[in-house]
Amino acid sequence: MIPKFAKTMRTKMKGRISRIGSYAISSSIRDHQQQPCITCTTFNILAPIYKRLSNEDQNFRESDCRTYWFGRNQRILDWLLYERSSIICLQEFWVGNEELVDMYEKRLSDAGYVNFKLARTNNRGDGLLTAVHKDYFRVVNYRDLLFNDFGDRVAQLLHVELIDPFSQCRNGDLRQEILIVNTHLLFPHDSSLSLVRLHQVYKILQHVESYQKEHNLKPIPIILCGDWNGSKRGHVYKFLRSQGFVSSYDTAHQYTDADAHKWVSHRNHRGNICGVDFIWLLNPNKYRKLLKASWSEAVFGMFKCLLRRASLTETDAFAFLKADNDGNYITYSGFCEALEQLNLTGHKHGLADEETKDLWVQADIDGNGVVDYKEFQQRIWKTTWSDQRNDLNDEDEDGFVKSSLEQTIGFSVKNAVLFPPEVEKGRWPENYSLSDHARLTVVFSPIRMPCSRLS
């Protein structure tokens, strides 16, 4: 049943194309009727246990007022069901309140969704909810991912297969499958937690990689949804890019890394606005680096960032790593001492001893036990992130990739919309009350493409 306010809005907008929310998504699907489309929505719905109702009394939360949290979550559900995305990924879902959980499960189930919820560890009160529509997907498998580290963060891994009529790209035994991940990373309360957040993403990709090997899966599209609590300028963003993932919103709008200021998706508890909500896409035609190599590169990138933040030049940084060593090289003890001074080791959330040794092996290219200036330049100072393109090349007029290689199914990004619309211009509207996050919805269309291989 369509809510009354939605009917009113639809009437007002009839006859003209709008870029606001559902209208942009609907128009995108109509524009690509020759190809099947699926939609994906990610939304941090702000758990009532965290929503403050008074600046004077910080302990007065929305969870204390049933009328407030009940009404707001009903409105959230009204919008979600009106938009009717194929995939819905919610963060800060109040799993600790049975009435709210029942509300979401009943309304989503009645609308045709299969629902999976996951609480954060140690009874934190909130968690995740992922829902996929039965008209689009058959659920193959589901996994809970528990990080068991600082912040009690979790993730959900869902393996689905597209069903008719949305599997029109099928060719013989070619199944159109997707791996979907929903997560909510730790908020960077201080710079020392940057490594923890990087660890969390690394663990997600390790779980995904293990699942693919366990089930002998060929490369298939991977969609990562969630509140990443970090912007396009952060290490998590760069790490995911190095693994071949692209930001669907930036792809749809042809934004580059230099366009980070053009959109926001969150006003945090400090009053700052930033873009932290992403739907990442990894297509099976991407040439991927080995995960461990990308992880090492990510940590070295963080290492270099900290050195540059201390205003050290390349020469100064090499001298810092040499410590008291008289030779023109870096020793393992000097390397470890530098990591500790930069707060990357020496505490429970820092690099483990084995991780430090792995980094040293990566830096010591010739394996002679020391890192000379050339190795320092190549592995530490000159660390570069893979520049992943946001487009797909060599497509024919039907959107199918021409290749003599083994074929599989991937996705092209047809549109992506943030709501409320002001955030697409880098502004946060004062009258927006659904959450402290914007809702992001992306339209994907399946296309044939060649399988990738690890580089």
Side-chain angles (χ1 to χ4, degrees), residues 322-329 331:
K322 280 197 344 171
D324 296 329
N325 172 39
D326 293 331
N328 196 34
Y329 53 81
T331 63

Side-chain angles (χ1 to χ4, degrees), residues 52 61 112 275:
R52 297 178 176 89
R61 304 295 173 95

Side-chain angles (χ1 to χ4, degrees), residues 182-229:
N182 182 17
T183 194
H184 181 189
L185 296 191
L186 178 71
F187 182 84
H189 295 282
D190 59 67
S191 59
S192 67
L193 299 180
S194 294
L195 185 61
V196 178
R197 293 163 29 72
L198 200 58
H199 258 132
Q200 290 172 342
V201 179
Y202 184 47
K203 287 180 180 180
I204 289 174
L205 297 189
Q206 281 183 313
H207 279 296
V208 171
E209 191 174 83
S210 296
Y211 181 85
Q212 290 174 298
K213 289 179 180 177
E214 178 185 340
H215 294 273
N216 197 27
L217 296 180
K218 293 181 179 179
I220 58 176
I222 301 172
I223 297 174
L224 307 182
C225 301
D227 173 5
W228 300 86
N229 263 323

Side-chain angles (χ1 to χ4, degrees), residues 382-421:
K382 298 296 185 184
T383 294
T384 57
W385 299 88
S386 296
D387 184 19
Q388 304 293 339
R389 295 178 62 107
N390 287 345
D391 57 348
L392 293 168
N393 297 321
D394 300 323
E395 293 182 12
D396 63 21
E397 61 273 13
D398 296 319
F400 297 119
V401 176
K402 299 174 181 176
S403 175
S404 59
L405 300 176
E406 182 180 356
Q407 294 286 300
T408 186
I409 298 297
F411 287 104
S412 61
V413 179
K414 295 302 180 184
N415 200 1
V417 175
L418 282 161
F419 183 85

Side-chain angles (χ1 to χ4, degrees), residues 137-184:
F137 300 109
R138 179 182 71 85
V139 176
V140 178
N141 206 349
Y142 169 80
R143 290 272 179 92
D144 292 338
L145 309 182
L146 309 180
F147 296 162
N148 297 316
D149 62 6
F150 184 74
D152 297 307
R153 300 293 165 165
V154 295
Q156 296 174 292
L157 173 62
L158 194 59
H159 180 189
V160 299
E161 179 184 6
L162 272 172
I163 61 177
D164 291 329
F166 302 96
S167 55
Q168 295 174 13
C169 287
R170 279 191 131 168
N171 183 9
D173 294 330
L174 191 60
R175 295 169 62 191
Q176 193 165 329
E177 299 173 272
I178 315 170
L179 292 180
I180 303 164
V181 174
N182 182 17
T183 194
H184 181 189

Side-chain angles (χ1 to χ4, degrees), residues 26-37 165 168 414 445:
S26 298
S27 63
S28 295
I29 294 174
R30 286 196 303 270
D31 290 344
H32 300 93
Q33 285 182 349
Q34 73 278 12
Q35 297 175 346
C37 290
Q168 295 174 13
K414 295 302 180 184
S445 182

